Amino acid sequence: MTLHFPKLTQRSLLLFLVLVVSGCATYAGFNLDQLYGQPTPQKRILPAESSMAQRYLNDIKPLVENRCVVCHACYDAPCQLKMSSAEGIDRGANKEKVYQGTRLIAANTTRMFIDAHSTEEWRQKGFSAVFNERMQSPETNTQLSVMARMLTLKQAHPLPDEKVLSGNWDFSLDRNQQCPTIEEMSAYEQSYPLWGMPYGLPKLAENENQLLMDWVAAGAPMTTQNTVTPEASHEINKWETFLNQNDFKHQLTARYLFEHWFVSHLYFPDVQSPDGKTTFFRIVRSRTAPGEPVDLIATRRPFDAPGVKRVYYRILPVRETIVDKTHMPFVLNDERLARLNAHFIQPEYTVSALPGYTPELAANPLLAFEQLPVNARYRYMIDNAQHTIMGFIKGPVCRGQLALNVINDRFWVLFVDPGMADIPEVANFYASQAENLRLPAEKNSTALPLHHWVTYSKQQGRFLRAKNNFMNQTFKNGEHLTTDLIWDGDGFNENAALTIFRHFDSATVTKGLVGTPPKTAWVIDYSLIERIHYLLVAGFDVYGNFGHQLLTRMYMDFLRMEGESNFLSLLPPETRHAELADWYQDANQPLQNFLQGDINDFSQPSSVRYQTNNPKAELMQMLKTKLSDIDQGKTRYALDNVKLSKDSLNQLRALARIQGRQATLYPELTFIMIEPNDPNIQPQLLTLVRNSAHKNISSLFEEEKNRQPSKDNLTLVNGLLGSYPSVFWHIQESDLADIVKQAKRIYSEEDYRALMDKVAVRRTDPNFWAFSDKLNQIYRTSHPVESGLLDYNRLENR
């Protein structure tokens, strides 16, 4: 039997519109509490088996996801209104911004499913309802719902009939958000009649809008995503048994894994939901052992003191819609369990005592986990290198310009062969440098950056001098200093070669050496990858004050230069100096002294045999050849894999060759859908990435001053890359040649706009939502585990 929500009568709608028009006078003369009673959080979460809950899952939830969650998810959701879960919708909105770069003290955390567990608790934390919480009836549920009023406002005032929105529109991430409560809605409607929801996007179709309005009128019944199937329970029991054994070796291993998994979406390959989709889980710390209800331990950071003598690690279902920008899938299967046992449990070593949780110890993994074999830790991290690096490149932070302007727009990442970490001398060296490898996370989330930066810069200098001395001895006369030092993924592991793309305030990490050889590359060893994780993932607090975030960014300068220096060590000594000079043009004098001293004091020759006067290009080609068997840059992302004609592929390659100031006119990420001439082939998805060039990336507040537009270029890849599209193109293969011809002639903003008139699905396009649904569906079908809903907060208005 199909269940229908009650439709609003004509009289109800008329009354509603009267209230909208005369709302200010009505609410000025009467107090809502007097008219409709005191607000009381309603019980909207119904048992999943109820008919109303099923209607929500089948009809309402997909619509909310595809029209609302695409902007309202993660910490940067407007007004903190996270609509990716029933609990998040019920929590409502908050006027405070999570991203507040100037705050002097750390903010209170407002993490879903962690910092509060009921609607009442969220109200006490300053969140206001988007649904009616007073007297219940279809009329009042609509009249007193911010969500219903926002939808109706958009229906009454759709977008102006213009391709590019003009006037009072602000699409910047730091725009002044109104976040009206129901008491403030009438004033909002009068002041911002065009700002109904979805903001700056086409209105919902009439049937979609009516479905949501009827649902709101019925009290907005919802259900949560927390069911665990018997198959999932079996897998959870197996892993919780492994993670919660009593001996110290297992306990320390479990702590290490938790501090690397806490942002992951765990999944079991053979466990699916009833609709055939992959089910995802998360790991938490609990006061209770397996078999008992989880009593979650909520701390700012995963290594903060838990406040209990014994911590248990538990696995819970993810209760939110999977969105691409926070989605880091991580498989738990028998192969992984066997590998963890082989690396961490089976070797002969002793854990004599468990480390404590004092910040100076817990924030330094080289101290906290010194009893675990270095090779086990390093092997774990590089076996899953994309996931490891995805934590600090993608992650749940969602917006990270302060941290990300410390990296270039595209560079390759390679790893020291783990055989180098499996010798006693390396382990002893790391142990001797533990004091010099302390991290800013040992300070609290309210920090004084400049004072601490001086301290950390000195200790980093001491570490690099010790490291250069160690390397000068290890690689004396260039012995062993060849490409053999670079891990080849054991011949099968695709994580050995990665490419990182920066998109201004977000970034993407992919497997494979994607694109032409970049300006820079990193070679990462154990201590470097571990410190980056504890700097940018485990130790980073998005709610921290300006000092905490600034100190994190400044320290990352050191780690980036260390990774670059490792790569340069494979080049001839004279080339190292020339490359550094090119990478850090116009750098300030203290940085120049640092580069010429501490970081560049490695003097041994390279044993790589070079044949040309461009050793860097030679080295990068050698590395591509060495890693060719596991390089997804030439498999998954290569244009050869796009299912179009040979002539069309040549046109795409021509598009990718645009560079210099022409490339500068393109946005960060262009998602392209091409309809093939062959109707039997599904639409092809591609991503055009703009790579911005810089003289150097070490000037914190002078990014634009250091830009080199003449060296900008584009990278075009097969598939979708990134979570935040800037613009959509929808084109026919038959038109591709003409489009590329026009694209190659873009020299001004007017030229770019003319191209967009031909190819773009702008935010004003009446077909925007139909295109969005098609794009997300293709992405979901082609990558059912990796994909998540895209985010539209960075769509341009051009």
Side-chain angles (χ1 to χ4, degrees):
M1 180 180 70
T2 302
L3 181 68
H4 296 283
F5 295 127
K7 286 187 176 292
L8 292 175
T9 64
Q10 293 285 347
R11 179 176 177 278
S12 302
L13 288 171
L14 181 60
L15 175 60
F16 173 50
L17 292 174
V18 169
L19 281 171
V20 169
V21 173
S22 61
C24 288
T26 301
Y27 291 145
F30 297 96
N31 183 289
L32 286 182
D33 296 347
Q34 294 174 338
L35 285 172
Y36 303 108
Q38 291 282 339
T40 303
Q42 305 297 311
K43 185 178 180 181
R44 305 183 197 280
I45 310 300
L46 305 178
E49 61 272 10
S50 69
S51 55
M52 294 283 276
Q54 287 300 307
R55 178 70 190 279
Y56 167 77
L57 291 174
N58 295 332
D59 297 336
I60 303 300
K61 182 174 177 288
L63 182 56
V64 169
E65 289 176 339
N66 290 302
R67 300 293 180 268
C68 308
V69 175
V70 288
C71 289
H72 285 275
C74 197
Y75 293 122
D76 59 353
C79 305
Q80 291 195 58
L81 177 56
K82 292 189 65 175
M83 303 186 72
S84 49
S85 68
E87 293 84 353
I89 299 173
D90 211 38
R91 177 179 77 162
N94 191 309
K95 295 179 185 292
E96 296 295 323
K97 290 184 177 180
V98 172
Y99 290 97
Q100 178 51 264
T102 59
R103 58 178 168 237
L104 298 180
I105 61 174
N108 293 324
T109 56
T110 55
R111 298 163 296 181
M112 281 299 304
F113 306 109
I114 296 176
D115 297 314
H117 300 282
S118 69
T119 308
E120 291 89 343
E121 291 178 5
W122 287 120
R123 296 291 170 268
Q124 294 169 12
K125 290 179 177 289
F127 283 79
S128 60
V130 296
F131 295 133
N132 173 35
E133 293 188 334
R134 293 177 169 85
M135 180 181 70
Q136 296 288 293
S137 72
E139 289 80 6
T140 56
N141 285 345
T142 305
Q143 296 161 11
L144 303 184
S145 164
V146 172
M147 180 174 175
R149 298 277 287 271
M150 286 289 191
L151 290 170
T152 302
L153 185 64
K154 188 55 169 276
Q155 294 292 315
H157 300 278
L159 291 179
D161 185 15
E162 51 189 10
K163 292 179 180 178
V164 178
L165 295 173
S166 58
N168 192 27
W169 292 96
D170 185 359
F171 296 109
S172 64
L173 290 176
D174 293 319
R175 65 180 179 267
N176 183 22
Q177 299 176 5
Q178 301 301 313
C179 310
T181 64
I182 190 59
E183 291 84 359
E184 299 163 340
M185 266 307 298
S186 293
Y188 178 90
E189 290 158 343
Q190 290 196 346
S191 299
Y192 309 105
L194 292 176
W195 288 10
M197 293 296 145
Y199 175 79
L201 290 167
K203 68 178 182 179
L204 272 59
E206 184 176 341
N207 64 314
E208 295 174 341
N209 186 71
Q210 188 63 55
L211 184 63
L212 291 181
M213 295 295 287
D214 292 344
W215 170 60
V216 173
M222 297 179 283
T223 191
T224 188
Q225 297 178 209
N226 64 351
T227 55
V228 178
T229 65
E231 294 80 7
S233 293
H234 173 75
E235 294 295 330
I236 289 172
N237 291 338
K238 178 168 60 179
W239 280 91
E240 287 189 348
T241 298
F242 169 73
L243 293 167
N244 292 292
Q245 294 190 40
N246 292 324
D247 63 276
F248 284 173
K249 186 183 284 189
H250 275 91
Q251 286 193 54
L252 189 56
T253 296
R255 174 172 165 177
Y256 180 82
L257 295 176
F258 167 75
E259 292 180 15
H260 292 77
W261 291 359
F262 74 101
V263 293
S264 305
H265 285 159
L266 310 174
Y267 71 99
F268 310 110
D270 297 326
V271 173
Q272 295 182 329
S273 60
D275 59 359
K277 297 180 180 178
T278 301
T279 304
F280 294 97
F281 301 84
R282 63 190 179 111
I283 188 170
V284 300
R285 294 193 295 182
S286 174
R287 299 175 182 86
T288 50
E292 303 176 40
V294 171
D295 185 3
L296 189 143
I297 297 170
T299 57
R300 277 186 177 264
R301 298 172 298 188
F303 52 73
D304 287 340
V308 293
K309 184 176 181 180
R310 174 70 191 271
V311 170
Y312 297 95
Y313 301 98
R314 307 291 301 278
I315 296 175
L316 297 174
V318 171
R319 297 162 70 177
E320 297 177 287
T321 299
I322 299 300
V323 294
D324 197 78
K325 60 185 173 181
T326 62
H327 186 40
M328 289 172 283
F330 189 81
V331 67
L332 298 184
N333 54 20
D334 290 341
E335 179 184 356
R336 186 175 303 285
L337 185 59
R339 200 161 178 83
L340 292 175
N341 270 303
H343 286 151
F344 286 94
I345 306 302
Q346 294 171 7
E348 293 292 331
Y349 67 95
T350 301
V351 177
S352 58
L354 296 177
Y357 288 95
T358 59
E360 296 78 11
L361 173 63
N364 187 341
L366 301 181
L367 281 177
F369 300 107
E370 64 179 346
Q371 297 177 90
L372 295 178
V374 170
N375 188 55
R377 288 177 268 161
Y378 185 44
R379 263 294 184 180
Y380 161 76
M381 297 194 83
I382 63 171
D383 275 355
N384 316 284
Q386 184 196 28
H387 181 269
T388 299
I389 293 181
M390 192 182 293
F392 48 86
I393 288 298
K394 194 173 183 179
V397 174
C398 299
R399 191 192 312 176
Q401 184 195 355
L402 191 65
L404 290 175
N405 68 6
V406 75
I407 63 175
N408 282 288
D409 267 38
R410 182 175 65 89
F411 58 98
W412 290 348
V413 174
L414 309 158
F415 301 91
V416 172
D417 189 275
M420 288 296 297
D422 198 24
I423 57 177
E425 291 84 355
V426 172
N428 293 337
F429 172 73
Y430 288 147
S432 72
Q433 293 299 307
E435 184 64 22
N436 287 331
L437 297 178
R438 290 162 44 213
L439 294 166
E442 67 185 4
K443 308 302 179 186
N444 58 31
S445 297
T446 299
L448 299 174
L450 297 181
H451 168 73
H452 293 311
W453 181 82
V454 172
T455 300
Y456 289 121
S457 65
K458 289 180 178 178
Q459 74 178 38
Q460 179 71 1
R462 290 193 296 269
F463 166 70
L464 289 175
R465 284 191 290 273
K467 179 183 176 184
N468 287 330
N469 183 61
F470 178 74
M471 290 179 63
N472 279 324
Q473 294 300 317
T474 304
F475 301 111
K476 195 168 185 178
N477 299 320
E479 187 180 5
H480 308 307
L481 197 58
T482 70
T483 56
D484 289 343
L485 282 173
I486 304 300
W487 182 45
D488 66 356
D490 304 321
F492 67 88
N493 193 326
E494 297 166 346
N495 287 275
L498 303 176
T499 301
I500 293 177
F501 293 88
R502 179 200 168 196
H503 323 300
F504 186 63
D505 61 1
S506 67
T508 305
V509 54
T510 68
K511 292 178 181 176
L513 303 178
V514 180
T516 57
K519 175 181 177 180
T520 65
W522 296 6
V523 172
I524 294 180
D525 60 9
Y526 167 67
S527 75
L528 184 54
I529 194 172
E530 195 78 275
R531 281 179 289 151
I532 297 178
H533 176 80
Y534 275 81
L535 179 72
L536 297 182
V537 186
F540 185 76
D541 181 8
V542 70
Y543 296 92
N545 78 327
F546 173 73
H548 165 76
Q549 298 185 29
L550 180 60
L551 184 60
T552 299
R553 188 266 180 234
M554 292 192 298
Y555 192 94
M556 186 59 201
D557 258 337
F558 299 139
L559 302 188
R560 180 200 67 248
M561 289 185 285
E562 188 178 334
E564 292 171 341
S565 178
N566 289 342
F567 170 76
L568 291 174
S569 67
L570 292 172
L571 295 173
E574 63 276 10
T575 305
R576 298 169 196 163
H577 293 277
E579 286 296 330
L580 272 179
D582 181 55
W583 295 355
Y584 292 95
Q585 298 175 41
D586 299 339
N588 58 48
Q589 193 59 48
L591 177 60
Q592 292 282 7
N593 294 339
F594 183 77
L595 291 169
Q596 294 169 16
D598 293 329
I599 197 170
N600 201 30
D601 195 37
F602 177 64
S603 58
Q604 298 303 315
S606 172
S607 288
V608 180
R609 300 297 177 224
Y610 294 102
Q611 306 298 322
T612 72
N613 59 0
N614 190 347
K616 186 180 78 171
E618 277 191 81
L619 176 59
M620 287 187 165
Q621 184 55 52
M622 290 180 199
L623 295 172
K624 279 187 71 74
T625 301
K626 175 184 176 74
L627 299 167
S628 61
D629 289 343
I630 52 93
D631 186 1
Q632 284 206 3
K634 69 174 188 179
T635 54
R636 174 172 174 176
Y637 297 104
L639 293 180
D640 289 341
N641 297 314
V642 178
K643 296 179 181 178
L644 298 176
S645 69
K646 184 177 180 180
D647 288 342
S648 294
L649 294 182
N650 288 333
Q651 293 295 334
L652 293 176
R653 293 187 183 94
L655 177 64
R657 287 195 291 270
I658 294 174
Q659 58 184 334
R661 294 187 180 276
Q662 284 183 280
T664 303
L665 291 165
Y666 287 82
E668 298 283 350
L669 287 173
T670 300
F671 283 11
I672 303 173
M673 182 188 296
I674 301 178
E675 303 283 354
N677 292 331
D678 185 345
N680 297 313
I681 299 177
Q682 77 166 6
Q684 300 294 287
L685 302 182
L686 300 96
T687 307
L688 186 66
V689 187
R690 188 194 77 210
N691 307 304
S692 299
H694 300 82
K695 295 179 184 177
N696 72 76
I697 48 172
S698 293
S699 298
L700 183 58
F701 301 111
E702 297 183 334
E703 178 161 356
E704 284 305 311
K705 181 180 178 181
N706 287 321
R707 285 277 284 112
Q708 287 183 302
S710 62
K711 294 187 176 182
D712 286 2
N713 58 50
L714 302 178
T715 300
L716 182 63
V717 301
N718 174 43
L720 296 187
L721 187 154
S723 306
Y724 304 92
S726 305
V727 67
F728 295 123
W729 292 9
H730 191 192
I731 59 183
Q732 301 293 322
E733 182 180 2
S734 57
D735 297 330
L736 188 57
D738 289 339
I739 290 169
V740 172
K741 183 178 180 181
Q742 184 174 351
K744 291 164 63 178
R745 294 178 177 175
I746 290 178
Y747 296 99
S748 67
E749 186 66 28
E750 290 73 22
D751 293 340
Y752 176 82
R753 183 166 177 170
L755 177 65
M756 293 304 97
D757 288 344
K758 181 179 292 187
V759 302
V761 181
R762 289 187 173 102
R763 57 167 59 246
T764 56
D765 195 312
N767 295 316
F768 178 88
W769 290 119
F771 175 85
S772 169
D773 291 342
K774 185 175 183 179
L775 183 82
N776 276 295
Q777 179 58 45
I778 295 173
Y779 185 32
R780 193 162 44 240
T781 301
S782 57
H783 301 289
V785 173
E786 298 174 5
S787 65
L789 278 175
L790 302 171
D791 187 279
Y792 296 162
N793 276 299
R794 290 162 175 77
L795 282 175
E796 292 189 341
N797 180 40
R798 294 171 69 190

